[in-house]
Amino acid sequence: RGIPGVGVAVDKPVIGAVAGWVVGGGMVLTTMCDTLIAADNARFSYPEVKVGFTGGIISNLASRIPHKIAMELLLLGEPIDARRAYEVGYVNKVVAVGELLPTAMDYARRIAATAPLPSRALKRFVTETLPKSPTEIAGIARAEVDAIFASEDWTEGRAAFAQKRPAVYRGK
């Protein structure tokens, strides 16, 4: 429930910075980044097929990189290095390990210097445009249902039903 854009609504750009192994759920998180900087020692792997498991949300990978490359990663469960991830458009930039955070912070500063309203609008438009995996759709729906269950209207609706009176909803 803590994946940006799925369990957590995010309208600000998400910048990822990774080094070393990015495996399984870590790779799921990187698919949700708007920009991704990788250290030259980064390795990306989704090996769940080798252990008989998948949570399903990783299927969104096919809308982030070419279909055949995504299927190779998902069906073989073998890693790719940072250079290959860059070549297929999964990462924006590959840098030396010591340059990882300064580069990500440079991206953040440059994005922060732009107008926030169009930036957020573009983020929302792109989020709505990207195809969603079934698990991603379910996660988004779950977050919305959780918000309803936490609302004052839900409390009022149950109370009104129990008291056999019309509910007074406030949209809160």
Coordinates of all heavy atoms in Angstrom, one line a residue, residues 101-151:
L101 N 23.7 10.6 -5.9 CA 22.8 11.6 -5.2 C 23.0 13.0 -5.7 O 22.0 13.7 -5.9 CB 23.1 11.5 -3.7 CG 22.5 10.2 -3.1 CD1 22.8 10.2 -1.6 CD2 21.1 10.0 -3.4
P102 N 24.2 13.5 -6.0 CA 24.3 14.9 -6.6 C 23.5 15.0 -7.9 O 22.9 16.0 -8.2 CB 25.8 15.1 -6.8 CG 26.5 14.2 -5.8 CD 25.6 13.0 -5.7
T103 N 23.5 13.9 -8.7 CA 22.8 14.0 -10.0 C 21.3 14.0 -9.8 O 20.6 14.8 -10.4 CB 23.2 12.8 -10.9 OG1 24.6 12.8 -11.1 CG2 22.5 12.8 -12.2
A104 N 20.8 13.1 -8.9 CA 19.4 13.1 -8.5 C 19.0 14.5 -7.9 O 17.9 15.0 -8.3 CB 19.1 12.0 -7.6
M105 N 19.8 15.0 -7.1 CA 19.5 16.3 -6.5 C 19.5 17.4 -7.6 O 18.7 18.4 -7.5 CB 20.4 16.7 -5.4 CG 20.2 15.8 -4.1 SD 18.6 15.8 -3.5 CE 18.4 17.5 -2.9
D106 N 20.4 17.3 -8.6 CA 20.4 18.3 -9.7 C 19.0 18.2 -10.4 O 18.5 19.2 -10.7 CB 21.5 18.0 -10.6 CG 21.5 19.0 -11.8 OD1 21.6 20.2 -11.6 OD2 21.5 18.5 -12.9
Y107 N 18.6 17.0 -10.7 CA 17.3 16.8 -11.4 C 16.2 17.5 -10.5 O 15.3 18.2 -11.0 CB 16.9 15.3 -11.5 CG 17.4 14.7 -12.8 CD1 18.7 14.7 -13.2 CD2 16.5 14.1 -13.7 CE1 19.2 14.2 -14.4 CE2 16.9 13.5 -14.9 CZ 18.2 13.5 -15.2 OH 18.6 13.0 -16.4
A108 N 16.2 17.2 -9.2 CA 15.2 17.8 -8.3 C 15.2 19.3 -8.3 O 14.2 19.9 -8.4 CB 15.4 17.2 -6.9
R109 N 16.4 19.9 -8.2 CA 16.5 21.3 -8.3 C 16.0 21.9 -9.6 O 15.3 22.9 -9.6 CB 18.0 21.8 -8.0 CG 18.4 21.8 -6.6 CD 19.8 22.5 -6.4 NE 20.8 21.6 -6.9 CZ 21.4 20.6 -6.3 NH1 20.9 20.3 -5.1 NH2 22.3 19.9 -6.8
R110 N 16.3 21.3 -10.7 CA 15.9 21.8 -12.0 C 14.4 21.6 -12.1 O 13.7 22.5 -12.7 CB 16.6 21.0 -13.1 CG 18.1 21.5 -13.1 CD 19.0 20.6 -13.9 NE 18.5 20.2 -15.2 CZ 18.9 19.1 -15.9 NH1 19.8 18.4 -15.3 NH2 18.4 18.9 -17.1
I111 N 13.8 20.5 -11.6 CA 12.3 20.4 -11.7 C 11.7 21.4 -10.8 O 10.7 22.0 -11.1 CB 11.9 19.0 -11.3 CG1 12.3 18.0 -12.4 CG2 10.4 18.9 -11.1 CD1 12.2 16.5 -12.1
A112 N 12.2 21.6 -9.6 CA 11.7 22.6 -8.6 C 11.7 24.0 -9.1 O 10.9 24.8 -8.7 CB 12.4 22.5 -7.3
A113 N 12.6 24.3 -10.1 CA 12.7 25.6 -10.6 C 11.6 25.9 -11.7 O 11.5 27.0 -12.1 CB 14.1 25.8 -11.2
T114 N 10.9 24.9 -12.1 CA 9.8 25.1 -13.1 C 8.5 25.4 -12.4 O 8.4 25.3 -11.1 CB 9.7 23.8 -13.9 OG1 9.2 22.7 -13.1 CG2 11.0 23.4 -14.6
A115 N 7.5 25.8 -13.1 CA 6.2 26.2 -12.6 C 5.5 24.9 -12.0 O 5.4 23.9 -12.7 CB 5.4 26.8 -13.7
P116 N 5.1 24.9 -10.8 CA 4.5 23.7 -10.1 C 3.2 23.3 -10.7 O 2.9 22.1 -10.7 CB 4.4 24.1 -8.7 CG 4.5 25.6 -8.6 CD 5.3 26.0 -9.8
L117 N 2.3 24.2 -11.1 CA 1.0 23.9 -11.5 C 1.0 23.0 -12.8 O 0.4 21.9 -12.9 CB 0.1 25.1 -11.7 CG -0.3 25.8 -10.4 CD1 -1.2 27.0 -10.6 CD2 -1.0 24.8 -9.4
P118 N 1.7 23.5 -13.9 CA 1.8 22.6 -15.1 C 2.6 21.3 -14.8 O 2.3 20.3 -15.4 CB 2.5 23.5 -16.1 CG 3.0 24.7 -15.4 CD 2.3 24.8 -14.1
S119 N 3.6 21.4 -13.9 CA 4.4 20.2 -13.6 C 3.5 19.1 -13.0 O 3.5 18.0 -13.4 CB 5.5 20.6 -12.6 OG 6.2 19.4 -12.2
R120 N 2.6 19.6 -12.0 CA 1.7 18.6 -11.4 C 0.6 18.1 -12.4 O 0.2 17.0 -12.4 CB 1.1 19.2 -10.2 CG 2.1 19.3 -9.0 CD 1.5 19.9 -7.8 NE 2.5 20.0 -6.7 CZ 2.3 20.6 -5.6 NH1 1.1 21.2 -5.3 NH2 3.2 20.6 -4.7
A121 N 0.2 19.1 -13.2 CA -0.8 18.7 -14.2 C -0.3 17.7 -15.2 O -0.9 16.6 -15.5 CB -1.3 19.9 -15.0
L122 N 0.9 17.9 -15.7 CA 1.6 16.9 -16.6 C 1.8 15.6 -15.9 O 1.6 14.5 -16.5 CB 2.9 17.5 -17.1 CG 2.8 18.6 -18.1 CD1 4.1 19.3 -18.3 CD2 2.2 18.2 -19.4
K123 N 2.2 15.6 -14.6 CA 2.3 14.4 -13.9 C 1.0 13.6 -13.8 O 0.9 12.4 -14.1 CB 2.8 14.7 -12.5 CG 2.7 13.6 -11.5 CD 3.8 12.6 -11.5 CE 3.6 11.5 -10.4 NZ 4.7 10.7 -10.2
R124 N -0.1 14.3 -13.5 CA -1.4 13.7 -13.5 C -1.8 13.1 -14.9 O -2.3 12.0 -15.0 CB -2.5 14.6 -13.0 CG -2.4 14.8 -11.5 CD -3.6 15.6 -10.9 NE -3.9 16.9 -11.6 CZ -3.3 18.0 -11.3 NH1 -2.4 18.1 -10.3 NH2 -3.5 19.1 -12.0
F125 N -1.6 13.9 -15.9 CA -2.0 13.5 -17.3 C -1.2 12.3 -17.7 O -1.8 11.3 -18.2 CB -1.7 14.6 -18.3 CG -2.5 15.9 -18.1 CD1 -2.0 17.1 -18.7 CD2 -3.7 15.9 -17.4 CE1 -2.8 18.3 -18.5 CE2 -4.4 17.1 -17.3 CZ -4.0 18.3 -17.8
V126 N 0.1 12.2 -17.4 CA 0.9 11.1 -17.8 C 0.4 9.9 -17.0 O 0.3 8.8 -17.5 CB 2.4 11.4 -17.6 CG1 3.2 10.1 -17.7 CG2 2.8 12.4 -18.7
T127 N 0.2 10.1 -15.7 CA -0.3 9.0 -14.8 C -1.6 8.4 -15.3 O -1.7 7.2 -15.4 CB -0.4 9.5 -13.4 OG1 0.9 9.9 -12.9 CG2 -0.9 8.3 -12.5
E128 N -2.5 9.2 -15.8 CA -3.8 8.8 -16.3 C -3.6 8.1 -17.7 O -4.4 7.2 -18.0 CB -4.7 9.9 -16.4 CG -5.2 10.4 -15.0 CD -6.0 11.7 -15.0 OE1 -6.4 12.1 -16.2 OE2 -6.2 12.3 -14.0
T129 N -2.6 8.5 -18.4 CA -2.4 8.0 -19.8 C -1.7 6.6 -19.8 O -2.0 5.8 -20.6 CB -1.5 9.0 -20.6 OG1 -2.2 10.2 -20.6 CG2 -1.3 8.5 -22.0
L130 N -0.8 6.4 -18.8 CA 0.0 5.1 -18.8 C -1.0 4.0 -18.6 O -1.8 4.0 -17.7 CB 1.0 5.2 -17.7 CG 2.3 5.9 -18.0 CD1 3.2 6.0 -16.8 CD2 3.1 5.2 -19.2
P131 N -0.8 2.9 -19.3 CA -1.6 1.7 -19.0 C -1.3 1.2 -17.6 O -0.2 1.3 -17.2 CB -1.1 0.7 -20.1 CG -0.5 1.5 -21.2 CD 0.0 2.7 -20.5
K132 N -2.3 0.6 -17.0 CA -2.1 0.1 -15.6 C -2.3 -1.4 -15.6 O -3.1 -2.0 -16.3 CB -3.2 0.7 -14.7 CG -3.4 2.2 -14.8 CD -2.5 2.9 -13.8 CE -2.7 4.4 -13.8 NZ -2.2 5.1 -14.9
S133 N -1.5 -2.1 -14.8 CA -1.6 -3.5 -14.6 C -2.9 -3.8 -13.8 O -3.4 -2.9 -13.1 CB -0.4 -4.1 -13.9 OG -0.4 -3.7 -12.5
P134 N -3.4 -5.0 -13.9 CA -4.6 -5.4 -13.0 C -4.3 -5.1 -11.5 O -5.2 -4.6 -10.8 CB -4.8 -6.8 -13.3 CG -4.3 -7.0 -14.7 CD -3.1 -6.1 -14.8
T135 N -3.1 -5.5 -11.1 CA -2.8 -5.3 -9.7 C -2.7 -3.8 -9.3 O -3.1 -3.4 -8.2 CB -1.5 -6.0 -9.3 OG1 -1.6 -7.4 -9.8 CG2 -1.2 -6.0 -7.9
E136 N -2.2 -3.1 -10.2 CA -2.1 -1.6 -10.0 C -3.5 -1.0 -9.9 O -3.7 -0.2 -9.0 CB -1.3 -1.0 -11.2 CG -0.8 0.4 -11.0 CD 0.1 0.8 -12.2 OE1 0.4 0.1 -13.1 OE2 0.4 2.0 -12.2
I137 N -4.4 -1.4 -10.8 CA -5.8 -0.9 -10.8 C -6.4 -1.3 -9.4 O -7.1 -0.5 -8.8 CB -6.6 -1.5 -12.0 CG1 -6.0 -0.8 -13.3 CG2 -8.1 -1.2 -11.8 CD1 -6.5 -1.5 -14.5
A138 N -6.2 -2.5 -9.0 CA -6.8 -3.0 -7.7 C -6.2 -2.2 -6.6 O -6.9 -1.8 -5.6 CB -6.5 -4.5 -7.5
G139 N -4.9 -1.9 -6.6 CA -4.3 -1.1 -5.5 C -4.8 0.3 -5.5 O -5.1 0.9 -4.4
I140 N -5.0 0.9 -6.6 CA -5.6 2.3 -6.7 C -7.1 2.2 -6.2 O -7.4 3.1 -5.3 CB -5.6 2.8 -8.1 CG1 -4.1 3.1 -8.6 CG2 -6.4 4.1 -8.3 CD1 -3.9 3.3 -10.1
A141 N -7.8 1.2 -6.6 CA -9.2 1.1 -6.1 C -9.2 0.9 -4.6 O -10.0 1.5 -3.8 CB -9.9 -0.1 -6.8
R142 N -8.3 0.1 -4.1 CA -8.2 -0.2 -2.6 C -7.9 1.1 -1.9 O -8.5 1.3 -0.8 CB -7.1 -1.3 -2.3 CG -7.0 -1.6 -0.9 CD -8.2 -2.3 -0.4 NE -8.2 -2.4 1.0 CZ -9.1 -2.9 1.7 NH1 -10.2 -3.5 1.1 NH2 -9.1 -3.0 3.0
A143 N -7.0 1.9 -2.4 CA -6.7 3.2 -1.7 C -8.0 4.1 -1.6 O -8.2 4.7 -0.6 CB -5.6 3.9 -2.4
E144 N -8.7 4.1 -2.7 CA -9.9 4.9 -2.8 C -11.0 4.4 -1.8 O -11.7 5.1 -1.1 CB -10.5 5.0 -4.2 CG -9.6 5.8 -5.1 CD -10.1 6.1 -6.5 OE1 -11.4 6.0 -6.7 OE2 -9.3 6.3 -7.4
V145 N -11.1 3.1 -1.8 CA -12.1 2.5 -0.8 C -11.7 2.7 0.6 O -12.5 3.0 1.5 CB -12.3 0.9 -1.1 CG1 -13.0 0.2 0.0 CG2 -13.0 0.7 -2.5
D146 N -10.4 2.6 0.9 CA -9.9 2.9 2.2 C -10.2 4.3 2.7 O -10.6 4.6 3.8 CB -8.4 2.7 2.3 CG -8.0 1.2 2.4 OD1 -8.9 0.3 2.5 OD2 -6.8 0.9 2.2
A147 N -10.1 5.3 1.7 CA -10.4 6.7 2.0 C -11.9 6.8 2.3 O -12.3 7.6 3.2 CB -10.1 7.6 0.8
I148 N -12.8 6.1 1.6 CA -14.2 6.1 1.9 C -14.5 5.6 3.3 O -15.2 6.2 4.1 CB -15.0 5.3 0.8 CG1 -15.0 6.1 -0.5 CG2 -16.5 5.1 1.3 CD1 -15.5 5.3 -1.7
F149 N -13.8 4.5 3.6 CA -14.0 3.9 5.0 C -13.5 4.8 6.1 O -14.0 4.6 7.2 CB -13.3 2.5 5.1 CG -14.1 1.4 4.3 CD1 -13.4 0.3 3.9 CD2 -15.4 1.5 4.0 CE1 -14.1 -0.7 3.2 CE2 -16.1 0.5 3.3 CZ -15.4 -0.6 2.9
A150 N -12.6 5.7 5.8 CA -12.1 6.6 6.8 C -12.9 7.9 6.8 O -12.6 8.8 7.6 CB -10.6 6.9 6.5
S151 N -13.9 8.0 6.0 CA -14.6 9.3 5.9 C -15.7 9.4 7.0 O -16.2 8.5 7.5 CB -15.3 9.4 4.5 OG -16.4 8.6 4.4

